[in-house]
């Protein structure tokens, strides 16, 4: 194995599998996608480390184990249309694109939008539509989606975004304030019926323009 192949193998065995990511298709995608190609040059040596890698504009790439858990929890199907809020460097979009029909990826920062476009083109990924937009309220224009995923946290769930899911659709969002945040999976069971489960605790950078919890007054 090359040094990078060995590092990628160790990342999967030591970080991702130990975080209960065992879906063989997810593991294969993580193994076959060159994470290092989506990491800024200054951090290339940390591409496979168990950290959030800094990007421009105060943003971060998700850690490998978080991306693995997200991908596994979404259970994407080949026909699915997916919304990704916060493209970052494009790595999660690249992973999801290999499991579904179409990814609509929103990125509020022009610099990161350009970075994602370059990285996806370099990898030959063509089923991601990248849009420079504020996605804190989802993206109604392309709804409904089989899956929606937010790569940054929100103190509370953005109002109405769950209704952009198709019936049977799943939304993954990290809710709460540091240091206690919860990765939450919302499933749309019927038109007005939803199921909500906390998958694990983590802490992510807060989304731009995220809705805030109402303060209590006495």
């Amino acid at each position: 194995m090359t040094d990078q192949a060995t590092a990628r193998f160790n990342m999967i065995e030591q970080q991702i599998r130990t975080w209960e990511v065992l879906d063989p298709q997810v593991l294969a995608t993580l193994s076959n996608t060159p994470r290092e190609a989506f990491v800024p040059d200054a951090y290339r040596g940390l591409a496979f480390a168990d950290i959030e890698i800094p990007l421009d504009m105060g943003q971060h790439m998700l850690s490998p184990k978080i991306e693995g858990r997200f991908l596994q929890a979404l259970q994407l199907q080949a026909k699915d249309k997916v919304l990704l809020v916060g493209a970052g460097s494009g790595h999660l979009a690249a992973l999801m694109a290999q499991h579904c029909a179409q990814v609509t990826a929103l990125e509020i920062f022009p610099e990161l939008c350009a970075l994602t476009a370059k990285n996806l083109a370099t990898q030959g990924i063509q089923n991601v539509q990248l849009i420079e937009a504020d996605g804190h309220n989802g993206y109604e224009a392309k709804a409904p989606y089989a899956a929606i995923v937010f790569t940054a946290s929100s103190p509370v769930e953005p109002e109405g975004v769950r209704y952009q899911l198709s019936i049977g659709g799943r939304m993954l969002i990290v809710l709460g304030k540091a240091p206690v945040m919860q990765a939450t999976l919302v499933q749309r069971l019927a038109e007005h019926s939803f199921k909500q489960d906390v998958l694990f605790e983590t802490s992510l950078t807060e989304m731009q323009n995220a809705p805030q919890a109402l303060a209590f007054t006495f």
Side-chain angles (χ1 to χ4, degrees), residues 157-173:
E157 183 183 326
E159 186 175 355
V161 176
R162 57 172 60 190
Y163 285 95
Q164 294 177 28
L165 291 169
S166 56
I167 305 301
R170 292 85 57 204
M171 179 173 73
L172 238 178
I173 184 168

Side-chain angles (χ1 to χ4, degrees), residues 30-105:
L30 290 163
S31 179
N32 296 330
T33 304
R35 180 178 170 85
E36 67 277 10
F38 294 84
V39 173
D41 290 343
Y43 296 96
R44 194 63 56 87
L46 297 173
F48 306 106
D50 184 17
I51 61 171
E52 293 181 9
I53 292 177
L55 301 172
D56 288 343
M57 315 308 295
Q59 304 305 297
H60 297 81
M61 281 182 71
L62 297 177
S63 67
K65 66 187 182 187
I66 297 290
E67 288 186 325
R69 284 291 292 268
F70 275 19
L71 198 57
Q72 179 171 268
L74 289 170
Q75 298 182 326
L76 299 179
Q77 305 296 315
K79 66 181 186 305
D80 285 350
K81 187 172 70 170
V82 178
L83 176 66
L84 173 66
V85 179
S89 70
H91 187 248
L92 186 56
L95 296 175
M96 295 196 305
Q98 297 172 67
H99 288 256
C100 68
Q102 178 75 38
V103 178
T104 299

